[in-house]
């Protein structure tokens, strides 16, 4: 029996007879030749049936095989530069084909354009499409590269709870649930507060898991359930934080370029735009970003675009502002020192400027905008208590969090990176809903 191989390894089997287990993605025929594009989870490969080589009955069966039928193919691998597929450049001359299950003929996600709602309703099948397969392979590599960098740089992975007693990132995006006799509990918007406890035992930690925001906004950057990576470091200030973000994001880009180039190419991604990204990333203050926006506003001649660029010091950036800023740079850019009023309660005030905080967002180029948000945290007990009161947050729920500032408090910092935002940017796709296997948005919890 010939060896069962992965399509991703096909180049190492040129000239050998192999077996491929997978699904028929597409079929085209040209007289005595029938081409099957077969996918096996690791890649896509062209398999060719030649009428003269096969028993008549088998050839006929191959000519009629429905899309998505599961098959086991035996054949010889040969190099052919023109052969389509991922990685491509090799094809299999079919010697035998066993149908595991012949798919029903009415496959809903036939290879043609579908409306977005139809595709989302059929997400369980849409996942099989080459574009979706490519995006989610990139996503998995983003996650693996993230862990790889943190694990080799002294960070300890901590799992933080998903059921939590209070809001951490604003009270307007909370999902709430009844919690036995304890009253209300909320799905975690962040694991950060717990990681601030963890650093006092482990120094450098991270959590990596699903995060929930009842976002009322319907934008191409927001999901209600997304995956966030959150590192937190003791004895780390705002500059140290930017260093770490820069190194980690650079590592993610390098690893994706090393391992997922065929996927990016299949998505039509302009590789030069990410290959050229090298540290250091520019660091600009919110004040300078505000000036930049005002200059762009002055220069803009299109009245509609001008209106979108309108900006007054003190407000948070909207998507058009972030887009305009990122278009001035060809790599990710740090914007630091936002007004405290538009950021979370736990951020350390700027020395001598209490209206500004030691926060930093990392904005991705090409208009993608915020991929990481972080800050130095308030390390003084009384200053933190005052902020909690000012925000009208329940002091009781934060008792444990305040206590961290009583026993060996240190300057500390951390950030959160949205996995789907990074994936969407690296893949060059329009909407982050394609960057997670089963997206949850304001209008969707099915399938
Ligand atoms: O800026 P955010 O809200 O920061 C925090 O939650 C901090 N507690 C993180 C920390 O310091 N440990 O979210 C961090 C990142 C954003 O930059 C963005 O990439 C992503 O999480 N994000 C979302 N991604 C998809 N859908 C949403 N609704 C998102 N909200 C935030
Ligand atoms: Mg943010």
């Amino acid at each position: 029996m010939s060896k069962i191989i992965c399509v991703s390894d096909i180049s190492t089997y040129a000239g050998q007879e192999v077996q491929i287990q997978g699904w028929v993605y597409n079929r085209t025929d040209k007289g005595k030749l029938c081409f099957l594009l077969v996918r096996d989870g690791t890649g896509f490969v062209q398999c060719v049936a030649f009428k003269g080589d096969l028993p008549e009955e088998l050839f006929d069966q191959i000519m009629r095989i429905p899309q998505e039928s599961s098959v086991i193919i035996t054949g010889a691998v040969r190099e052919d530069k023109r052969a389509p597929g991922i990685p491509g450049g090799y094809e299999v001359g079919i010697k035998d084909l066993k149908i595991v299950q012949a798919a029903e003929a009415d496959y809903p996600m036939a290879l043609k354009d579908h409306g977005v709602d139809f595709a989302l309703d059929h997400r369980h099948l849409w996942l099989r499409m080459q574009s979706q397969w490519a995006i989610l392979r990139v996503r998995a590599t983003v996650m693996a590269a993230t862990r790889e960098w943190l694990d080799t740089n002294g960070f300890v992975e901590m799992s933080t709870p998903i059921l939590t007693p209070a809001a951490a990132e604003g009270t307007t995006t909370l999902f709430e649930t009844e919690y036995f006799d304890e009253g209300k509990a909320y799905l975690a918007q962040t694991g950060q507060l717990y990681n601030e406890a963890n650093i006092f035992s482990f120094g450098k930690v991270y959590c990596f898991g699903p995060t929930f925001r009842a976002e009322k906004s319907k934008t191409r950057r927001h999901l209600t359930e997304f995956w966030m990576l959150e590192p937190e470091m003791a004895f780390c200030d705002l500059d140290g934080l930017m260093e770490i973000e820069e190194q980690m994001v650079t590592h993610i880009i390098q690893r994706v370029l090393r391992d997922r180039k065929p996927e990016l190419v299949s998505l039509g991604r302009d590789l030069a735009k990410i290959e050229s990204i090298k540290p250091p990333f520019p660091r600009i203050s919110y004040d300078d970003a505000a000036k930049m926006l005002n200059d762009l506003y002055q220069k803009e001649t299109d009245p509609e675009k001008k209106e979108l660029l309108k900006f007054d010091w003190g407000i948070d950036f909207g998507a058009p502002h972030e887009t305009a800023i990122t278009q001035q740079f060809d790599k990710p850019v740090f914007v630091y020192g936002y007004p405290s009023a538009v950021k979370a309660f736990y951020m350390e005030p700027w020395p001598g400027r209490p209206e500004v905080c030691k926060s930093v967002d990392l904005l991705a180029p090409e208009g993608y905008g915020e991929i990481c948000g972080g800050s130095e945290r308030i390390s003084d007990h009384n200053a933190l208590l005052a902020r909690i009161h000012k925000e009208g947050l329940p002091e009781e729920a934060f008792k444990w969090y305040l206590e961290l500032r009583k026993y060996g408090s240190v300057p500390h910092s951390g950030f959160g990176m949205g996995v789907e935002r990074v994936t969407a940017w690296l893949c060059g796709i329009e909407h982050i809903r394609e960057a997670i296997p089963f997206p949850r948005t304001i209008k969707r919890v099915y399938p």
Side-chain angles (χ1 to χ4, degrees):
M1 222 184 72
S2 18
K3 188 174 178 191
I4 300 167
I5 66 152
C6 291
V7 169
S8 55
D9 301 334
I10 194 134
S11 66
T12 55
Y13 293 97
Q16 296 181 42
E17 188 173 291
V18 301
Q19 235 179 52
I20 290 171
Q21 304 180 324
W23 296 267
V24 175
Y25 187 63
N26 200 3
R27 193 196 64 232
T28 47
D29 36 69
K30 265 195 206 140
K32 292 193 167 90
L33 288 171
C34 181
F35 299 93
L36 302 181
L37 189 58
V38 173
R39 50 179 196 83
D40 77 335
T42 72
F44 291 69
V45 66
Q46 173 163 283
C47 301
V48 191
F50 176 55
K51 192 169 178 167
D53 284 348
L54 300 173
E56 202 174 318
E57 203 180 319
L58 178 59
F59 188 77
D60 286 348
Q61 197 184 29
I62 293 173
M63 290 282 277
R64 282 180 286 108
I65 196 163
Q67 186 192 347
E68 288 306 317
S69 297
S70 37
V71 291
I72 299 174
I73 290 174
T74 308
V77 178
R78 51 186 179 241
E79 194 173 351
D80 181 342
K81 291 267 170 287
R82 296 159 307 168
I86 301 179
Y90 292 85
E91 64 177 24
V92 175
I94 300 178
K95 292 205 173 135
D96 192 22
L97 180 149
K98 296 238 169 324
I99 296 182
V100 180
Q101 192 235 347
E104 294 186 16
D106 58 350
Y107 183 59
M109 290 300 291
L111 298 174
K112 54 172 187 167
D113 276 341
H114 301 279
V116 169
D117 278 325
F118 184 88
L120 284 166
D121 282 340
H122 295 84
R123 184 60 173 167
H124 52 296
L125 304 176
W126 188 21
L127 288 173
R128 305 176 184 196
M129 252 189 185
Q130 194 172 88
S131 58
Q132 303 306 307
W133 171 87
I135 295 165
L136 294 172
R137 297 252 298 177
V138 171
R139 178 184 200 266
T141 300
V142 166
M143 296 175 81
T146 301
R147 281 212 165 85
E148 182 179 65
W149 191 87
L150 292 161
D151 292 344
T152 52
N153 281 279
F155 287 76
V156 180
E157 182 168 1
M158 290 281 149
S159 302
T160 51
I162 284 174
L163 288 165
T164 61
E169 294 291 331
T171 49
T172 56
T173 62
L174 280 176
F175 278 110
E176 110 184 0
T177 180
E178 295 299 330
Y179 199 80
F180 306 105
D181 297 332
E182 300 297 309
K184 298 220 183 304
Y186 308 93
L187 298 185
Q189 299 165 306
T190 170
Q192 176 198 322
L193 274 47
Y194 295 97
N195 270 346
E196 287 186 61
N198 293 332
I199 56 163
F200 291 97
S201 181
F202 302 94
K204 295 196 283 188
V205 300
Y206 67 95
C207 61
F208 202 171
T211 310
F212 305 88
R213 305 270 169 103
E215 298 276 2
K216 305 277 171 355
S217 52
K218 254 180 83 180
T219 81
R220 62 192 187 88
R221 297 177 184 185
H222 289 94
L223 296 167
T224 54
E225 177 177 329
F226 62 97
W227 276 63
M228 183 154 59
L229 171 269
E230 296 184 89
E232 190 76 26
M233 293 81 67
F235 298 102
C236 179
D237 64 8
L238 190 64
D239 288 328
L241 180 68
M242 288 192 258
E243 273 304 304
I244 284 167
E245 285 186 45
E246 184 176 274
Q247 285 179 32
M248 194 191 80
V249 170
T250 302
H251 178 76
I252 294 169
I253 295 171
Q254 294 308 323
R255 172 86 196 262
V256 166
L257 284 169
R258 190 192 78 189
D259 297 347
R260 293 291 168 254
K261 227 178 231 176
E263 286 84 350
L264 294 178
V265 170
S266 79
L267 290 165
R269 183 65 166 114
D270 180 354
L271 288 180
K273 289 225 161 74
I274 32 184
E275 276 167 344
S276 63
I277 297 174
K278 302 266 150 31
F281 302 161
R283 291 146 162 75
I284 62 168
S285 66
Y286 172 93
D287 296 342
D288 287 342
K291 277 194 208 103
M292 187 182 284
L293 287 170
N294 281 326
D295 287 347
L296 291 168
Y297 176 81
Q298 297 300 338
K299 280 191 216 135
E300 185 56 64
T301 47
D302 179 331
E304 249 173 69
K305 286 190 191 153
K306 205 177 173 81
E307 186 59 29
L308 287 174
L309 283 175
K310 218 176 201 169
F311 188 81
D312 288 316
W313 196 100
I315 65 169
D316 201 1
F317 296 135
H321 301 125
E322 279 188 2
T323 301
I325 295 167
T326 65
Q327 279 166 351
Q328 311 305 307
F329 304 90
D330 50 14
K331 46 180 161 176
V333 51
F334 287 111
V335 180
Y336 63 86
Y338 286 76
S340 306
V342 301
K343 291 291 182 189
F345 73 94
Y346 50 70
M347 298 191 181
E348 178 77 13
W350 202 271
R353 278 187 81 187
E355 74 284 7
V356 173
C357 61
K358 292 177 122 182
S359 58
V360 62
D361 281 0
L362 182 61
L363 312 182
E366 301 172 75
Y368 280 91
E370 182 188 341
I371 49 170
C372 299
S375 74
E376 198 174 316
R377 324 301 191 188
I378 297 179
S379 53
D380 178 74
H381 176 275
N382 293 346
L384 183 60
L385 183 62
R387 279 292 289 176
I388 286 172
H389 286 159
K390 193 170 170 210
E391 299 282 320
L393 293 167
E395 186 183 330
E396 203 38 43
F398 290 98
K399 190 164 164 263
W400 67 270
Y401 186 64
L402 282 157
E403 230 167 64
L404 302 174
R405 275 76 181 164
K406 287 191 186 170
Y407 309 106
S409 190
V410 289
H412 62 284
S413 303
F415 69 95
M417 178 188 85
V419 170
E420 293 77 20
R421 296 228 187 141
V422 172
T423 304
W425 160 48
L426 294 179
C427 290
I429 58 173
E430 186 62 23
H431 202 296
I432 68 167
R433 67 186 159 218
E434 290 179 48
I436 189 165
F438 291 93
R440 299 286 173 253
T441 58
I442 185 166
K443 293 253 186 255
R444 180 166 297 278
V445 282
Y446 175 90

